[in-house]
Structure formats: structure tokens, C-alpha cells
Amino acid sequence: MKDPRIDELAAVLIDHSCQLQAGEKVLIEAFDLPEPNLVCSLVETARARGAHPLVLWKNNEILRSLYQHSDREGLQLMGELEAEAMSRVDAYVGIRGALNSDQMSDVAGSQMDLMTECVWQPVHIDIRVPKTKWVVLRYPTHSMAQAAQMSTPAFEDFFFDVCTADYAAMGKAQEPLRELMLKTEQVIIISPGTELEFSIKDMPVIACNGERNIPDGEVFTAPVRESLNGVIQYNAGSRYQGTVFEQIRFEFRDGKIVDASCQGDSTRLNEILDTDDGARFIGEWSLGCNNRVRHPMVDTLFDEKIGGSMHLTPGNAYDEADNGNRSRVHWDLVLIQTPEYGGGEIWFDGTLIRKDGKFLPQELHPLNEGLL
């Protein structure tokens, strides 16, 4: 029997995230889903709106073989075909399951870099992000529940609660923070192992309310590219191209990561940062405001929204909040500042704005609802 929450989620994705209109074309791309119910519901909902759905159903085990054994010519052909499909649609819904979250862990870094260059860059960075109405989300699986240290039924309840939230109301609640950030010039961040300063003067600020990611709940901008100085110690693990990194530490000088280390494979970490000239600069800084998400589960789409968190992203800047940085990398790395994770402070132009994950100005108090 299909979970009725599937249809509710499909409506959020089609009507709120993509705002799909009659006559528009939408590409639905699904990875490692345990069953097709959400894809079928998306197809049916899109057609009910008079739109035209296209479906790509992918398997990560097959993709692992392709990434591991293909040469440049083969991956370029894959990129060209997928770029043609992406260029012909108006909207994109990416659904990413995970039967095995570590499926790509033994693919050589050089091959993953080649895939990024030949497929990810031309399809997603060059076309999907700037030219379509898009949203990406995870799908609840046993491996995700395990990563969240929850039973599968409990995780499914958590997933649907987070992913079918009232994102329009969330965006409205974030607006005072957006307005404050637009007036801010200098930012200081202090946490255990972290002392960081940068400018966001004259940078656009975006309040995210489920139009790009589900779950959502962040307010983001980009630092002035060369303004960032100091050190940051991230305290949430992150999976990138199949490898999990813990306790990543960056030291910045004039905006550039000049020293990078982590628990585990620091060599691979630095290989990622050497992907291209922009990978050692920051393309996004964001404050997480979704208090339904409280703890990391090594899944970026959830972890970057954690209430009381922030993320500072090496690599490409989004067009909506652009500081000019360009890279094939866009890696949202999370620092949680609630007391449970060591606390911390965020200062705007000499005023303490957030302490231990909670906003202090009266007009921002609604963003604290749900935090202990």
C-alpha cells in the first residue's frame, strides 16, 4: 500500500518547489529508490497540471561501474546526452536514494574528478542550476535511517515531517534575517577551533524555502571573495564523492584555503580542493534555520539545514548570490553551534546576533522556535 504522504510530498515538489505550469517539461531523475511510488506520483501530478514529465531511473551500482571504468571519451558522451536532455526541460526534480551510501568509496579520485568535469559540470552546474526550476531531495531508505541512528519507521516519520513542512511560512519567518544580512558588512564567527572574519558587503542574500532543496530552511549569501581570513573547524562529518571526511579544518588567508586537514584522508581532501582554481575559495555562506533537523546524519541536504548551524562552502557560487567564484566543486560543510556541539557566536558589524545556535535580536526570535 502506498504511503499517503507520498502524494503530499509530490504536490510540494511540483506546486511549491517547481511551480510547474501547463505545457512545461519536467525531468524527474531518480537514483537507487527502493520502489517507484514517488516517481509515479510526480508523473501523475505533473500531468494533472498539464505538464510533460520525463523520467530517468538510475542505479548507483551501475554508475559506479561507469565511473570506475569509463575513459574521457565515454564520460564526455554521457555528459553530452544528459546535457541535451537537461537543456530541453523547464524544471528538474532529483530524487536520491541510497541503498549503500558508500557505493562510490572505492572509485579512484581521478575518475570522480573526470566524471565531475565531463558530466556534472556541463549538465548540472552549466545548465540545471542556472536555467531550470529545480529541486533535489533524498528518499528514505534503511541506510539513511541507520545513518540517522533511527529505526526505519521512526526515520520515515521524521523524513515526511521535515519534507512536507510549510515552506512558505518558513520563508516568511526568515525574511527579517535576510533583511539584517543585507545591511551587514562584516561577519565574525567564533566556535571551538574557529575564529573567522569576512565581509558580505553588497552581496545578495537568499532565504531558501523549499524551492531548491527539500528539506530546506537556510538563509545564504556569499562572502566577498578575498575578504575571508582565519580558521574554521567543522564539527559535522561530510560525504563527498563516496568518501566521508570528519573534523575538517581550513585555514584562510585573503579568501583562499592555504591549509586543509581532517581526520582520515587529508590527501584526498586536498585533491578535491585542487580540482580547479576556484575550489580553494568560498562560494557560499549560510545559516541553517530548520529546527526540525537537530543532528547530523552525514547527508548534506539534511545536515546543512540543522537549526543552530551554519555552512561555509568551498567552490562554486550560485548565480542568485554570486561573488564571482567558479568551480566544479560545491561542498557544503557544516559547523553546528548549539551547546551540545560546543556552542559558538556569530557577530554582525560588532553586534552579537546568534549565541549557541539561538538568535538574540527580538525580530529573529521566531527562528528559535523548536530549539531547546
Coordinates of all heavy atoms in Angstrom, one line a residue, residues 275-333:
T275 N 40.9 20.7 -7.4 CA 40.2 20.4 -8.6 C 40.4 21.4 -9.6 O 40.6 21.2 -10.8 CB 38.7 20.2 -8.3 OG1 38.6 19.0 -7.4 CG2 37.9 20.0 -9.5
D276 N 40.3 22.7 -9.2 CA 40.4 23.8 -10.1 C 40.8 25.1 -9.3 O 40.9 25.0 -8.1 CB 39.2 24.1 -11.0 CG 37.9 24.1 -10.2 OD1 37.9 24.7 -9.1 OD2 36.9 23.6 -10.7
D277 N 40.9 26.2 -9.9 CA 41.4 27.4 -9.2 C 40.4 27.9 -8.2 O 40.8 28.5 -7.2 CB 41.7 28.5 -10.2 CG 42.9 28.2 -11.1 OD1 43.7 27.4 -10.7 OD2 43.1 28.9 -12.2
G278 N 39.1 27.7 -8.4 CA 38.1 28.2 -7.5 C 37.8 27.3 -6.3 O 37.0 27.7 -5.4
A279 N 38.3 26.1 -6.3 CA 37.9 25.1 -5.2 C 38.4 25.5 -3.9 O 37.9 25.1 -2.8 CB 38.3 23.7 -5.6
R280 N 39.5 26.3 -3.8 CA 40.1 26.7 -2.5 C 39.5 28.1 -2.1 O 40.0 28.6 -1.1 CB 41.6 26.8 -2.6 CG 42.2 25.4 -2.5 CD 43.7 25.4 -2.4 NE 44.2 24.1 -2.4 CZ 44.5 23.4 -1.2 NH1 44.3 24.0 -0.1 NH2 45.0 22.2 -1.3
F281 N 38.5 28.6 -2.8 CA 37.8 29.8 -2.3 C 36.4 29.5 -2.0 O 35.9 28.4 -2.4 CB 37.9 30.9 -3.4 CG 39.2 31.5 -3.6 CD1 40.1 30.9 -4.5 CD2 39.6 32.6 -3.0 CE1 41.4 31.4 -4.7 CE2 40.9 33.2 -3.1 CZ 41.8 32.6 -4.0
I282 N 35.7 30.4 -1.3 CA 34.4 30.1 -0.8 C 33.3 30.7 -1.7 O 33.4 31.8 -2.1 CB 34.2 30.6 0.7 CG1 35.1 29.9 1.6 CG2 32.8 30.5 1.1 CD1 34.9 28.4 1.7
G283 N 32.3 29.9 -2.0 CA 31.2 30.3 -2.9 C 29.9 30.5 -2.2 O 28.9 31.1 -2.8
E284 N 29.8 30.1 -0.9 CA 28.5 30.3 -0.2 C 28.8 30.3 1.3 O 29.6 29.6 1.8 CB 27.6 29.1 -0.5 CG 26.2 29.2 0.2 CD 25.4 27.9 -0.1 OE1 25.5 27.3 -1.1 OE2 24.6 27.6 0.8
W285 N 28.0 31.2 2.0 CA 27.9 31.1 3.5 C 26.5 31.1 3.9 O 25.7 32.0 3.4 CB 28.7 32.3 4.1 CG 28.5 32.3 5.6 CD1 28.9 31.3 6.5 CD2 27.8 33.3 6.4 NE1 28.5 31.7 7.8 CE2 27.8 32.9 7.8 CE3 27.2 34.5 6.1 CZ2 27.3 33.6 8.8 CZ3 26.6 35.2 7.1 CH2 26.6 34.8 8.4
S286 N 26.1 30.2 4.8 CA 24.6 30.1 5.0 C 24.4 29.8 6.5 O 25.2 29.1 7.2 CB 24.1 28.9 4.2 OG 22.7 28.7 4.5
L287 N 23.2 30.3 7.0 CA 22.8 30.0 8.3 C 21.6 29.0 8.3 O 20.6 29.2 7.6 CB 22.3 31.3 9.0 CG 23.4 32.3 9.3 CD1 22.8 33.6 9.8 CD2 24.4 31.7 10.3
G288 N 21.7 27.8 9.0 CA 20.7 26.8 9.0 C 19.6 27.2 10.0 O 19.9 27.6 11.1
C289 N 18.3 27.1 9.6 CA 17.2 27.6 10.4 C 16.1 26.6 10.5 O 15.0 26.9 11.0 CB 16.6 28.9 9.8 SG 17.8 30.2 9.6
N290 N 16.3 25.3 10.1 CA 15.2 24.3 10.1 C 15.4 23.6 11.4 O 16.1 22.6 11.5 CB 15.3 23.4 8.9 CG 14.0 22.5 8.8 OD1 13.4 22.2 9.8 ND2 13.7 22.2 7.6
N291 N 14.6 24.0 12.4 CA 14.7 23.4 13.8 C 14.1 22.0 13.9 O 14.2 21.4 14.9 CB 14.2 24.3 14.8 CG 14.9 25.7 14.8 OD1 16.1 25.7 14.5 ND2 14.2 26.7 15.2
R292 N 13.5 21.5 12.8 CA 13.1 20.1 12.8 C 14.2 19.2 12.6 O 14.1 18.0 12.9 CB 12.1 19.9 11.6 CG 10.7 20.5 11.8 CD 9.9 20.3 10.6 NE 8.5 20.7 10.7 CZ 8.1 22.0 10.6 NH1 8.9 22.9 10.3 NH2 6.8 22.3 10.8
V293 N 15.4 19.7 12.1 CA 16.6 18.9 11.9 C 17.6 19.3 13.0 O 18.0 20.5 13.0 CB 17.2 19.1 10.5 CG1 18.3 18.1 10.3 CG2 16.1 19.0 9.4
R294 N 17.9 18.4 13.8 CA 18.7 18.8 15.0 C 20.1 18.1 15.1 O 21.0 18.6 15.7 CB 18.0 18.4 16.3 CG 16.6 19.0 16.4 CD 16.7 20.6 16.6 NE 17.6 20.9 17.7 CZ 17.3 20.9 18.9 NH1 16.0 20.6 19.3 NH2 18.1 21.2 19.9
H295 N 20.3 17.0 14.4 CA 21.5 16.3 14.5 C 22.0 15.8 13.1 O 21.2 15.5 12.2 CB 21.4 15.0 15.4 CG 20.9 15.3 16.7 ND1 21.6 16.0 17.7 CD2 19.6 15.1 17.3 CE1 20.9 16.1 18.8 NE2 19.7 15.7 18.6
P296 N 23.3 15.8 12.9 CA 23.9 15.4 11.6 C 23.7 13.9 11.3 O 23.7 13.1 12.2 CB 25.4 15.8 11.7 CG 25.7 15.7 13.1 CD 24.4 16.1 13.8
M297 N 23.6 13.6 10.0 CA 23.4 12.2 9.6 C 24.3 11.9 8.4 O 24.0 11.0 7.6 CB 22.0 11.8 9.4 CG 21.2 12.8 8.5 SD 19.5 12.4 8.3 CE 19.5 11.2 7.1
V298 N 25.3 12.7 8.2 CA 26.3 12.6 7.0 C 25.5 12.6 5.7 O 25.7 11.8 4.8 CB 27.2 11.3 7.1 CG1 28.4 11.5 6.2 CG2 27.6 11.1 8.6
D299 N 24.5 13.5 5.6 CA 23.7 13.7 4.4 C 23.6 15.2 4.3 O 22.8 15.9 5.1 CB 22.4 13.0 4.5 CG 21.7 13.1 3.2 OD1 21.3 14.2 2.8 OD2 21.5 12.1 2.5
T300 N 24.2 15.8 3.3 CA 24.3 17.3 3.2 C 22.9 17.9 3.2 O 22.7 19.0 3.8 CB 25.1 17.7 1.9 OG1 26.4 17.2 2.0 CG2 25.1 19.2 1.8
L301 N 22.0 17.4 2.4 CA 20.7 18.1 2.3 C 19.9 18.2 3.6 O 19.1 19.1 3.8 CB 19.8 17.3 1.3 CG 20.2 17.5 -0.2 CD1 19.2 16.8 -1.1 CD2 20.4 18.9 -0.6
F302 N 20.2 17.3 4.6 CA 19.6 17.5 5.9 C 20.6 18.2 6.8 O 20.2 19.2 7.5 CB 19.4 16.1 6.5 CG 18.1 15.4 5.9 CD1 18.2 14.7 4.8 CD2 16.9 15.5 6.6 CE1 17.1 14.1 4.2 CE2 15.8 14.9 6.1 CZ 15.8 14.2 4.9
D303 N 21.9 17.9 6.8 CA 22.8 18.5 7.8 C 23.0 20.0 7.6 O 23.1 20.7 8.6 CB 24.1 17.8 7.7 CG 24.1 16.3 8.0 OD1 23.0 15.9 8.5 OD2 25.1 15.6 7.8
E304 N 22.9 20.5 6.4 CA 23.2 21.9 6.1 C 22.0 22.8 6.6 O 22.1 24.0 6.7 CB 23.4 22.2 4.6 CG 22.2 21.9 3.8 CD 22.4 22.3 2.3 OE1 23.5 22.8 2.0 OE2 21.5 22.0 1.5
K305 N 20.8 22.1 6.9 CA 19.7 22.9 7.4 C 19.5 22.9 8.9 O 18.6 23.4 9.5 CB 18.4 22.3 6.8 CG 18.4 22.1 5.3 CD 18.8 23.2 4.5 CE 18.6 23.0 3.0 NZ 19.0 21.7 2.4
I306 N 20.4 22.1 9.6 CA 20.3 21.9 11.1 C 20.1 23.3 11.8 O 20.8 24.2 11.6 CB 21.5 21.2 11.6 CG1 21.5 19.8 11.2 CG2 21.5 21.3 13.2 CD1 22.8 19.0 11.5
G307 N 19.0 23.4 12.6 CA 18.8 24.6 13.4 C 20.0 24.9 14.3 O 20.5 24.0 15.0
G308 N 20.5 26.1 14.3 CA 21.7 26.5 15.0 C 23.0 26.2 14.4 O 24.0 26.3 15.0
S309 N 22.9 25.8 13.1 CA 24.2 25.5 12.3 C 24.5 26.6 11.3 O 23.7 27.6 11.1 CB 24.0 24.2 11.6 OG 23.2 24.4 10.4
M310 N 25.6 26.5 10.7 CA 26.0 27.3 9.5 C 26.8 26.4 8.6 O 27.3 25.4 9.0 CB 26.8 28.5 9.9 CG 28.0 28.3 10.8 SD 29.3 29.5 10.6 CE 30.1 28.9 9.1
H311 N 26.9 26.8 7.3 CA 27.8 26.1 6.5 C 28.6 27.1 5.6 O 28.1 28.2 5.3 CB 27.2 25.0 5.6 CG 26.1 25.4 4.8 ND1 24.8 25.4 5.3 CD2 26.0 25.7 3.5 CE1 23.9 25.7 4.3 NE2 24.6 25.9 3.2
L312 N 29.9 26.8 5.4 CA 30.8 27.6 4.6 C 31.3 26.7 3.5 O 32.0 25.7 3.8 CB 31.9 28.1 5.5 CG 32.8 29.2 5.0 CD1 32.0 30.5 4.8 CD2 34.0 29.4 5.9
T313 N 31.1 27.1 2.3 CA 31.1 26.2 1.1 C 32.3 26.4 0.2 O 32.3 27.5 -0.5 CB 29.8 26.3 0.3 OG1 28.7 26.0 1.2 CG2 29.8 25.3 -0.8
P314 N 33.3 25.6 0.2 CA 34.3 25.7 -0.8 C 33.7 25.5 -2.2 O 33.0 24.6 -2.4 CB 35.3 24.6 -0.5 CG 35.0 24.1 0.9 CD 33.5 24.4 1.0
G315 N 34.1 26.4 -3.2 CA 33.8 26.1 -4.6 C 32.8 27.1 -5.2 O 32.8 28.3 -4.8
N316 N 32.0 26.6 -6.1 CA 31.2 27.4 -6.9 C 30.1 28.2 -6.2 O 29.5 27.7 -5.3 CB 30.5 26.5 -8.0 CG 29.9 27.3 -9.2 OD1 30.7 28.0 -9.8 ND2 28.7 27.2 -9.4
A317 N 29.9 29.5 -6.6 CA 28.9 30.3 -6.1 C 27.6 30.2 -7.0 O 27.8 30.1 -8.2 CB 29.3 31.8 -6.0
Y318 N 26.5 30.3 -6.4 CA 25.2 30.3 -7.1 C 25.0 31.6 -7.7 O 25.4 32.7 -7.2 CB 24.0 29.9 -6.2 CG 24.0 28.4 -5.9 CD1 24.0 28.0 -4.6 CD2 23.8 27.5 -6.9 CE1 23.9 26.7 -4.2 CE2 23.8 26.1 -6.6 CZ 23.8 25.7 -5.3 OH 23.7 24.4 -4.9
D319 N 24.3 31.7 -8.9 CA 24.1 32.9 -9.6 C 23.2 33.9 -8.7 O 23.4 35.1 -8.8 CB 23.3 32.7 -10.9 CG 24.2 32.1 -12.0 OD1 25.5 32.0 -11.7 OD2 23.7 31.6 -13.0
E320 N 22.3 33.3 -7.9 CA 21.4 34.2 -7.1 C 22.2 35.0 -6.1 O 21.7 36.1 -5.7 CB 20.3 33.3 -6.4 CG 19.6 32.4 -7.3 CD 20.1 31.0 -7.2 OE1 21.3 30.8 -7.5 OE2 19.3 30.1 -6.9
A321 N 23.3 34.5 -5.6 CA 24.1 35.2 -4.6 C 25.6 35.0 -5.0 O 26.3 34.1 -4.4 CB 23.8 34.6 -3.2
D322 N 26.0 35.7 -5.9 CA 27.2 35.4 -6.7 C 28.4 36.4 -6.2 O 28.2 37.6 -6.3 CB 27.0 35.6 -8.2 CG 28.1 35.0 -9.0 OD1 29.0 34.4 -8.5 OD2 28.0 35.2 -10.3
N323 N 29.5 35.8 -5.8 CA 30.7 36.5 -5.5 C 31.7 36.3 -6.6 O 32.9 36.7 -6.5 CB 31.3 36.2 -4.2 CG 31.8 34.7 -4.1 OD1 31.6 34.0 -5.1 ND2 32.5 34.4 -3.0
G324 N 31.3 35.7 -7.7 CA 32.2 35.5 -8.9 C 33.0 34.3 -8.8 O 33.8 34.0 -9.8
N325 N 33.0 33.5 -7.8 CA 33.8 32.3 -7.7 C 33.2 31.2 -8.6 O 32.0 30.9 -8.5 CB 33.9 31.8 -6.2 CG 35.1 30.9 -6.1 OD1 36.2 31.2 -6.5 ND2 35.0 29.7 -5.4
R326 N 34.1 30.5 -9.3 CA 33.6 29.5 -10.2 C 34.5 28.2 -10.0 O 35.7 28.3 -9.9 CB 33.8 29.9 -11.7 CG 32.8 31.0 -12.1 CD 31.3 30.4 -12.0 NE 30.3 31.5 -12.2 CZ 29.7 32.1 -11.3 NH1 30.0 31.8 -10.0 NH2 28.8 33.1 -11.5
S327 N 33.8 27.1 -9.9 CA 34.5 25.8 -9.6 C 33.6 24.7 -10.0 O 32.3 24.8 -10.0 CB 34.9 25.7 -8.2 OG 35.5 24.5 -7.9
R328 N 34.1 23.5 -10.3 CA 33.3 22.3 -10.4 C 32.9 21.7 -9.0 O 32.1 20.9 -8.9 CB 34.1 21.2 -11.2 CG 34.4 21.6 -12.6 CD 34.9 20.4 -13.4 NE 36.1 19.8 -13.0 CZ 37.3 20.3 -13.3 NH1 37.4 21.3 -14.1 NH2 38.5 19.7 -12.9
V329 N 33.6 22.2 -8.0 CA 33.3 21.8 -6.6 C 32.2 22.8 -6.0 O 32.2 24.0 -6.3 CB 34.5 21.9 -5.8 CG1 34.2 21.6 -4.3 CG2 35.6 20.9 -6.3
H330 N 31.3 22.2 -5.3 CA 30.4 23.0 -4.4 C 30.1 22.1 -3.2 O 29.3 21.2 -3.3 CB 29.1 23.4 -5.1 CG 28.2 24.2 -4.3 ND1 28.2 25.6 -4.3 CD2 27.2 23.9 -3.3 CE1 27.3 26.1 -3.4 NE2 26.7 25.1 -2.8
W331 N 30.8 22.3 -2.1 CA 30.8 21.4 -1.0 C 30.3 22.0 0.3 O 31.1 22.8 0.9 CB 32.2 20.8 -0.9 CG 32.4 19.6 0.1 CD1 31.4 19.0 0.8 CD2 33.6 19.0 0.4 NE1 31.9 18.0 1.5 CE2 33.2 17.9 1.3 CE3 34.9 19.2 0.1 CZ2 34.2 17.1 1.8 CZ3 35.9 18.3 0.6 CH2 35.5 17.3 1.5
D332 N 29.1 21.8 0.7 CA 28.5 22.4 1.9 C 29.0 21.7 3.1 O 28.6 20.6 3.4 CB 27.0 22.4 1.8 CG 26.4 23.3 0.7 OD1 26.9 24.4 0.5 OD2 25.5 22.8 0.0
L333 N 29.9 22.4 3.9 CA 30.5 21.8 5.1 C 29.9 22.5 6.3 O 29.8 23.7 6.3 CB 32.0 21.9 5.0 CG 32.7 21.1 3.9 CD1 34.2 21.5 3.8 CD2 32.6 19.6 4.2

